[in-house]
Amino acid sequence: MKDNIVTVQHLSFTYKDTKHPAVNDVSFNIPKGSWTTLVGHNGSGKSTIARLLDGILLPDENSETLIQIDGITLNEKTMWDIRDKVGIVFQNPDNQFVGATVEDDVAFGLENRQVPRLKMQTIVHDVINQVGMLKFQKSEPQYLSGGQKQRVAIAGILAIGPKLIILDESTSMLDPAGKDKILALIRKVQKENGLTIFSITHDINEASQADQILVLNQGTLLASGSPIEIFKDESLIKSAGLELPLFYKVKNKLIKRGITVPQEIDNEKKLVNYLCQLNLKM
Amino acid sequence: MSKIIIGRYIPGDSIIYKMDPRGKIIATFLFIVIIFLANNWLSYLFLSVFTLLAVWATKLKPKVFWDGVKPLIWLILFTSVLQLFFTTGGKIYWHWGILNISEYGIQNSIFIFIRFVMIILISTVLTLTTTSLEIADGMEWILKPLGYLKVPVAQIALVMSIALRFVPILLDQAVRIMNAQRARGADFNSGGLIKRIHSIIPILIPLFIGSLTIAIDLATAMEARGYREGAKRTRYRVLKWSKYDWINLGYFTLLTLILLLTRTY
Ligand SMILES: Nc1ncnc2c1ncn2[C@@H]1O[C@H](COP(=O)(O)OP(=O)(O)OP(=O)(O)O)[C@@H](O)[C@H]1O
Ligand SMILES: [Mg+2]
């Protein structure tokens, strides 16, 4: 498909010395410019998928397997081109901070791509500004909070000018306020840079705001669709170890009781309005 | 604990801080070589004055320099006392068995004492005013010629700077693990050597596993960010040679000349 930035077909992966595949015949698409979340319980293979998309792991041999990112088919030869298009923000803020200071860390990816120093300086300054860390440009990581380190990680990725950002539980080690700030920042840079976001999360609220949800269970894809579609079936979300947001629980219960609630109602306010109108008609 | 391992850099902005780490490292090595030129009172006097001026130029409190000398003071005194009792020559003032106090003995023990203290002071000037990262960068430049012998200098330097960056994190982890063990009744501060070693093992194992996790995560993150082992890279952080570095090298060249002129041949 032309409008998909990521196309994955029949993707399987088995870790060395293990019997069962961690990812088993998974196929999905990620539309360009979308926010797609991947949910699943611990050990269901989410991080493995993130690593496969970036070519850090190579899929099990299978002639039907296809990973295509921004028109490039991933294989050993295109691995490095793919990494120019994909950036990953990992879970632990400390274990991805390579540089000695904020600016050094942001420059790491540029150094790897042999960008000349003068050009590096402009880019580094720009992206640090974009994530609001200019005041900390020369700071060492031990003086930064977890959220600030994640901002630096995002800046380091933006510096490369990627098309797709993968968040592998990037906010799970932050406090609720820090989490919201990072998500808001990602929404901002997504808009500013026209990015696609692929977010692995255990946060149901984040998932409910996504354009597309993928549900993974023991390495296989159970379902994919919009939050409204996915949340219709409570057992689906339960299988990912998550709880439905209260609003969807209420909506599902109403439908079960035989009250018609239109699909497009996707928040509390709309539901309340709709129920009031229904009440008036009765 | 963190003080010892991280080095004792103290932020400041005197002229010494403006100097390039390469110049400072070279000057320190040069100093350790030329100190052996001094062999009479006049040359030792110049050596001491030049050193103390450098100490003064850091604009740091004398106490921090004393902290540098203190851990070694017994070693210095011991060596000086050995010189005092075992050197013969000149007038003998006291004599007992193989021990004696002679004119040369007194002189030599004082010279040795000065030599020790001056070397410690100069290297303390380096470590107090230069971050470990700057030292690593400086060493990388100095060791560059080894690249011709196929030594992966740039890679070693990257490893060094990453290692330096994780020292505080690992220390943090160690403290956390120790507190957790303490909460379960572990006692690290009493008992004989064997008992103490025993109580350290439950700290080392989680620490070791923790560092492995960091290493694996970090390797993945580096690869995801386009790091290729052995591939050429450009550099964001560069060292800049300035007029202060000429002052630095000029100062120690001058000292070399003075020592050459004042020493006895
Ligand atoms: N390096 C490895 N070697 C062997 N097995 C692994 C390795 N990494 C992960 N696995 C296994 O593969 C499966 C999927 O792991 P993965 O890390 O992708 O899960 P996840 O969905 O990201 O879990 P979490 O929510 O805990 O991050 C798990 O059963 C895990 O034990
Ligand atoms: Mg994971």
Side-chain angles (χ1 to χ4, degrees):
Chain A
M1 268 257 290
K2 217 173 128 209
D3 287 316
N4 288 328
I5 189 144
V6 176
T7 307
V8 172
Q9 281 165 16
H10 303 294
L11 175 63
S12 297
F13 179 82
T14 314
Y15 282 101
K16 242 193 218 143
D17 307 323
T18 60
K19 282 202 193 98
H20 303 287
V23 172
N24 194 357
D25 196 23
V26 164
S27 304
F28 61 88
N29 294 320
I30 300 179
K32 207 171 254 181
S34 72
W35 185 299
T36 295
T37 57
L38 175 61
V39 296
H41 60 76
N42 293 116
S44 56
K46 304 183 298 294
S47 299
T48 308
I49 289 187
R51 273 148 219 221
L52 286 163
L53 288 185
D54 203 26
I56 293 172
L57 299 173
L58 292 173
D60 293 347
E61 299 264 358
N62 176 349
S63 57
E64 285 176 277
T65 299
L66 173 77
I67 300 177
Q68 209 168 46
I69 291 172
D70 201 28
I72 302 177
T73 302
L74 176 65
N75 56 42
E76 270 168 80
K77 278 185 217 119
T78 59
M79 202 156 79
W80 300 100
D81 301 324
I82 295 278
R83 282 180 203 165
D84 289 345
K85 300 196 176 278
V86 182
I88 309 184
V89 185
F90 295 93
Q91 180 173 20
N92 189 324
D94 270 313
N95 300 1
Q96 55 186 311
F97 204 114
V98 186
T101 64
V102 167
E103 52 178 356
D104 270 316
D105 187 65
V106 171
F108 182 73
L110 297 169
E111 292 177 324
N112 293 336
R113 289 166 178 84
Q114 300 183 52
V115 175
R117 187 156 176 276
L118 272 179
K119 205 170 151 203
M120 263 200 278
Q121 284 173 320
T122 351
I123 298 175
V124 167
H125 181 272
D126 282 355
V127 294
I128 292 182
N129 188 25
Q130 215 182 343
V131 301
M133 286 290 289
L134 220 43
K135 257 204 314 209
F136 299 93
Q137 194 169 354
K138 307 244 181 250
S139 299
E140 292 172 32
Q142 66 257 42
Y143 304 113
L144 302 178
S145 71
Q148 287 172 329
K149 281 178 214 160
Q150 293 305 59
R151 276 170 195 269
V152 176
I154 294 166
I157 285 167
L158 291 179
I160 307 308
K163 297 275 172 66
L164 172 71
I165 294 189
I166 300 177
L167 310 171
D168 189 353
E169 301 188 36
S170 319
T171 58
S172 66
M173 290 176 79
L174 308 180
D175 58 29
K179 194 177 271 189
D180 290 345
K181 277 193 196 149
I182 291 294
L183 286 178
L185 173 68
I186 298 206
R187 293 219 163 78
K188 181 185 94 127
V189 300
Q190 179 185 23
K191 231 185 248 157
E192 285 171 357
N193 305 13
L195 300 171
T196 305
I197 308 292
F198 182 58
S199 170
I200 295 169
T201 183
H202 286 292
D203 180 354
I204 193 72
N205 289 320
E206 188 202 320
S208 65
Q209 288 170 40
D211 302 306
Q212 180 183 221
I213 300 180
L214 307 175
V215 184
L216 198 65
N217 189 18
Q218 295 188 354
T220 48
L221 200 61
L222 283 189
S224 65
S226 68
I228 295 179
E229 286 161 5
I230 297 290
F231 291 168
K232 267 194 292 196
D233 184 357
E234 192 161 350
S235 65
L236 213 51
I237 282 303
K238 280 245 166 80
S239 77
L242 300 178
E243 280 281 323
L244 270 188
L246 181 64
F247 157 74
Y248 283 97
K249 276 188 182 166
V250 173
K251 183 177 161 190
N252 288 346
K253 282 243 161 76
L254 287 172
I255 293 171
K256 231 183 190 166
R257 289 249 178 129
I259 299 168
T260 35
V261 184
Q263 274 266 344
E264 64 273 13
I265 288 187
D266 62 353
N267 66 37
E268 246 171 84
K269 216 171 154 192
K270 284 189 202 163
L271 184 65
V272 171
N273 281 341
Y274 174 76
L275 289 178
C276 288
Q277 277 172 10
L278 211 62
N279 208 15
L280 284 177
K281 279 185 214 156
M282 286 203 311
Chain B
M1 180 151 79
S2 56
K3 250 191 180 167
I4 309 167
I5 305 176
I6 302 174
R8 297 180 309 119
Y9 175 77
I10 299 176
D13 56 2
S14 59
I15 176 168
I16 311 264
Y17 285 89
K18 299 194 175 82
M19 291 174 182
D20 187 296
R22 292 170 292 183
K24 285 198 257 188
I25 295 170
I26 293 171
T28 306
F29 280 128
L30 177 66
F31 184 85
I32 292 170
V33 173
I34 62 171
I35 201 164
F36 292 99
L37 289 174
N39 61 0
N40 58 24
W41 290 105
L42 189 59
S43 50
Y44 269 103
L45 177 71
F46 273 110
L47 193 73
S48 309
V49 169
F50 267 69
T51 309
L52 292 175
L53 271 176
V55 167
W56 171 80
T58 61
K59 297 273 157 72
L60 292 170
K61 289 199 203 82
K63 162 136 196 336
V64 296
F65 288 94
W66 168 237
D67 286 343
V69 178
K70 204 166 52 182
L72 295 169
I73 194 73
W74 292 110
L75 179 69
I76 301 171
L77 286 177
F78 179 69
T79 320
S80 304
V81 168
L82 280 189
Q83 284 291 327
L84 180 64
F85 285 125
F86 289 102
T87 314
T88 49
K91 228 189 242 161
I92 308 273
Y93 300 110
W94 181 80
H95 179 87
W96 186 75
I98 49 162
L99 303 180
N100 65 78
I101 294 180
S102 66
E103 190 186 340
Y104 284 1
I106 294 174
Q107 191 180 316
N108 268 1
S109 73
I110 294 174
F111 284 174
I112 290 261
F113 183 83
I114 297 178
R115 203 187 284 167
F116 251 120
V117 172
M118 295 306 137
I119 287 181
I120 296 170
L121 285 181
I122 282 294
S123 38
T124 309
V125 168
L126 173 72
T127 54
L128 287 179
T129 64
T130 322
T131 61
S132 19
L133 185 70
E134 284 177 310
I135 293 183
D137 281 350
M139 287 305 289
E140 181 189 359
W141 182 85
I142 290 168
L143 295 179
K144 233 180 205 165
L146 288 182
Y148 293 110
L149 300 175
K150 297 265 185 293
V151 178
V153 179
Q155 266 148 289
I156 293 173
L158 184 70
V159 168
M160 284 291 299
S161 82
I162 290 175
L164 287 173
R165 135 134 186 63
F166 277 92
V167 167
I169 291 173
L170 287 176
L171 281 175
D172 218 46
Q173 256 179 24
V175 170
R176 213 170 319 141
I177 295 167
M178 276 172 86
N179 286 339
Q181 307 279 15
R182 262 199 205 107
R184 288 175 213 153
D187 179 5
F188 302 110
N189 299 322
S190 67
L193 186 65
I194 303 283
K195 185 168 172 279
R196 282 194 194 201
I197 290 175
H198 252 285
S199 63
I200 289 230
I201 290 172
I203 304 174
L204 285 184
I205 291 172
L207 199 60
F208 183 69
I209 294 172
S211 2
L212 271 184
T213 314
I214 293 180
I216 292 170
D217 280 4
L218 203 63
T220 310
M222 286 169 66
E223 205 184 330
R225 295 176 67 182
Y227 181 77
R228 282 202 236 193
E229 210 196 312
K232 266 222 173 77
R233 311 175 69 231
T234 46
R235 291 207 62 155
Y236 180 78
R237 200 173 57 234
V238 292
L239 298 168
K240 274 213 201 74
W241 196 263
S242 69
K243 65 169 190 268
Y244 299 109
D245 303 300
W246 292 117
I247 296 175
N248 178 13
L249 289 193
Y251 186 77
F252 283 98
T253 312
L254 183 66
L255 176 61
T256 313
L257 291 177
I258 291 175
L259 290 182
L260 284 171
L261 288 173
T262 51
R263 79 189 298 260
T264 350
Y265 289 90

